[in-house]
Amino acid sequence: MHRINDTLSQLQNQIQAAACSSERNANEITLLGVSKKQSDEKLLEAATSGLIDFGENYLQEALAHQKLLADFKLRWHFIGPIQSNKTRAIAEHFDWVHSVDRLKVAQRLSEQRDQNKAPLQVCVQLNLDNEDSKAGVQAKHASELCRQINGLDNIQLRGLMLIPKQRNNYKAQRTIFAQARELMHKINAQNQLNMDTLSMGMSADMDAAIAEGATIVRIGSALFGPRS
Ligand SMILES: *Cc1c(COP(=O)(O)O)cnc(C)c1O
């Protein structure tokens, strides 16, 4: 029982320290444990240790993990690429979706979300490095997409998500995260939106993301160890 429990509290301390050094309140930062390709045993340890937010990339694996942890009161976040034929299951089984990058997917999620449930909490995924092979909307199209998604029923547009390419120095990491933060403020102002969520920062760049305003950090290997 020890390992994940200890790592979880170390990570929470690290979040606290990073928040403190940028004069932020750690309470506004959610640790999202990214549980893809991790063992059932580790997931159970994490839930038992009090982890509430779980992030998943692959639908089938996610559904199996949800079944495994059905006795815990958890929040499930879909953070992987979304194929149109998977939107129904995602709308049914998740609380949050971080990886929306086109209107069609958002429309399907909205139509397929049960109206009796809380609205699906959605982030728009950005591609700020302009890598052709990568998911995410480019900065110049992000404002229009956010405006359109905001008009959909059964969805609450919460903010932006970012998976920047790896940068190995802290300053360069901060620069790209700062761009996401500034873009969110600009899009809010342009469209009179109230987005409040920056889903950014992973195991290798969490501190930089927190310094630039991350409100959800998505941590896989630093919490659960290497993936199988
Ligand atoms: C796998 C993954 C993570 C976690 O990555 P680590 O480097 O293991 O922390 C975070 N976000 C997304 C979108 C991922 O696919």
Side-chain angles (χ1 to χ4, degrees), residues 23-46:
E23 292 173 18
R24 296 188 57 201
N25 186 343
N27 293 337
E28 66 189 37
I29 302 165
T30 298
L31 171 59
L32 174 58
V34 176
S35 42
K36 64 174 178 237
K37 299 187 174 165
Q38 299 290 352
S39 68
D40 288 359
E41 193 187 6
K42 286 184 175 173
L43 265 70
L44 280 162
E45 282 184 30

Side-chain angles (χ1 to χ4, degrees), residues 34 36 57 79-80 161 163 201-204 218-222 225 227:
V34 176
K36 64 174 178 237
N57 295 61
I79 63 173
M161 184 272 238
I163 314 175
M202 314 198 334
S203 296
R218 308 180 312 268
I219 307 300
S221 45
R227 288 181 272 277

Side-chain angles (χ1 to χ4, degrees), residues 2-193:
H2 297 301
R3 222 189 65 82
I4 300 261
N5 192 45
D6 291 348
T7 315
L8 193 57
S9 45
Q10 280 160 20
L11 273 167
Q12 270 146 359
N13 289 341
Q14 192 185 336
I15 290 171
Q16 184 85 48
C20 197
S21 52
S22 10
E23 292 173 18
R24 296 188 57 201
N25 186 343
N27 293 337
E28 66 189 37
I29 302 165
T30 298
L31 171 59
L32 174 58
V34 176
S35 42
K36 64 174 178 237
K37 299 187 174 165
Q38 299 290 352
S39 68
D40 288 359
E41 193 187 6
K42 286 184 175 173
L43 265 70
L44 280 162
E45 282 184 30
T48 306
S49 306
L51 182 68
I52 291 173
D53 290 272
F54 284 76
E56 292 282 347
N57 295 61
Y58 310 106
L59 181 62
Q60 291 314 313
E61 185 188 36
L63 298 179
H65 285 169
Q66 290 178 355
K67 218 168 167 185
L68 174 79
L69 302 180
D71 290 343
F72 297 89
K73 181 113 188 63
L74 306 175
R75 275 189 297 264
W76 290 93
H77 301 243
F78 194 83
I79 63 173
I82 305 174
Q83 297 157 281
S84 295
N85 64 345
K86 302 281 169 62
T87 53
R88 182 174 297 280
I90 292 170
E92 277 174 14
H93 294 281
F94 288 82
D95 304 293
W96 282 74
V97 181
H98 295 225
S99 43
V100 172
D101 63 1
R102 53 196 201 281
L103 183 60
K104 186 181 160 215
V105 160
Q107 285 168 331
R108 290 176 64 96
L109 289 170
S110 170
E111 281 160 18
Q112 293 164 341
R113 179 70 169 182
D114 182 347
Q115 294 182 16
N116 298 315
K117 286 190 182 169
L120 197 58
Q121 307 294 297
V122 164
C123 292
V124 164
Q125 183 175 350
L126 296 174
N127 177 359
L128 291 186
D129 291 316
N130 295 322
E131 295 171 290
D132 288 342
S133 60
K134 284 285 175 64
V137 62
Q138 293 190 3
K140 61 179 184 235
H141 300 305
S143 183
E144 178 64 8
L145 181 60
C146 287
R147 191 185 63 74
Q148 290 169 320
I149 290 176
N150 187 60
L152 299 173
D153 299 329
N154 310 325
I155 276 185
Q156 189 174 0
L157 177 65
R158 293 298 300 273
L160 303 177
M161 184 272 238
L162 184 65
I163 314 175
K165 67 176 186 225
Q166 210 175 321
R167 291 163 168 81
N168 35 29
N169 77 77
Y170 180 75
K171 196 156 166 258
Q173 291 173 352
R174 280 190 64 159
T175 303
I176 192 86
F177 291 134
Q179 283 175 30
R181 171 173 47 74
E182 285 158 14
L183 186 59
M184 184 170 84
H185 291 144
K186 189 172 133 198
I187 295 172
N188 274 343
Q190 280 174 342
N191 304 285
Q192 289 158 309
L193 302 179

